[in-house]
Amino acid sequence: GQQLNQSPQSMFIQEGEDVSMNCTSSSIFNTWLWYKQDPGEGPVLLIALYKAGELTSNGRLTAQFGITRKDSFLNISASIPSDVGIYFCAGQPLGGGADGLTFGKGTHLIIQP
Amino acid sequence: ETGVTQSPTHLIKTRGQQVTLRCSSQSGHNTVSWYQQALGQGPQFIFQYYREEENGRGNFPPRFSGLQFPNYSSELNVNALELDDSALYLCASSFGRVSGNTIYFGEGSWLTVV
């Protein structure tokens, strides 16, 4: 099935560093969502974006909905050990539920002590 | 805690068998969707139910079917299991079927087909 282009695939960083990941699509989306998934668990919603150009923060996390509606990025500032996990972007088209969410393949964040 | 609960958490089935997975949606949510997540991949949309009717489906064969009940809980049924059906099956709930509604996932059911 269709998947978004999410990059990077993995990141090895030091604790305290800032992190940036992004997602691009060939299709326009009406909603962008960012999730974090820990091993053996379901995805947990981090940030939801509903308008092109929207910039939204959730604590140390900031995400933006691209102006073209075809991309989004997520930044994490001052990373801490509990940030380790897999981050997924997901887009929802204008048609809504009929097409479901389209996910990226994930960015695996690893924090080195 | 998202309020979305799934059962069972883990199960093992033999190729050719049938399986039923269950999901209780978050309180107040009337829409349930199901996703399949293979190892190392992002979730793939299977289908969505709104007010007990399927109103959207991804690229999955008819042996993947579902139900939604009046209390908005849902079942995913998979017939004639294949080895490639081994995956984490995720249920997600939201309110309404239009775009823009926040979607919350359960912890999933791990299915292994041998």
Side-chain angles (χ1 to χ4, degrees), chain B residues 17-19 45-47 49 54 56-67 75-82 85:
Chain B
Q17 284 188 318
Q18 179 265 345
V19 68
F45 175 65
I46 302 176
F47 46 57
Y49 278 82
E54 182 182 306
R57 190 177 184 93
N59 189 26
F60 281 81
R63 59 189 186 83
F64 286 78
S65 63
L67 285 173
E75 286 183 355
L76 164 66
N77 299 293
V78 187
N79 294 321
L81 284 167
E82 302 175 359
D85 295 334

Side-chain angles (χ1 to χ4, degrees), chain A residues 4-58:
Chain A
L4 302 174
N5 297 314
Q6 186 172 349
S7 64
Q9 288 188 344
S10 58
M11 302 182 72
F12 295 80
I13 64 168
Q14 302 284 340
E15 184 178 348
E17 287 186 15
D18 295 344
V19 171
S20 183
M21 59 191 78
N22 67 81
C23 230
T24 60
S25 170
S26 57
S27 304
I28 290 174
F29 287 110
N30 202 46
T31 301
W32 282 94
L33 304 168
W34 285 92
Y35 290 89
K36 179 174 182 277
Q37 187 174 28
D38 292 328
E41 300 185 7
V44 174
L45 181 68
L46 298 174
I47 292 180
L49 301 159
Y50 301 110
K51 295 181 181 179
E54 179 182 357
L55 184 71
T56 297
S57 294
N58 179 8

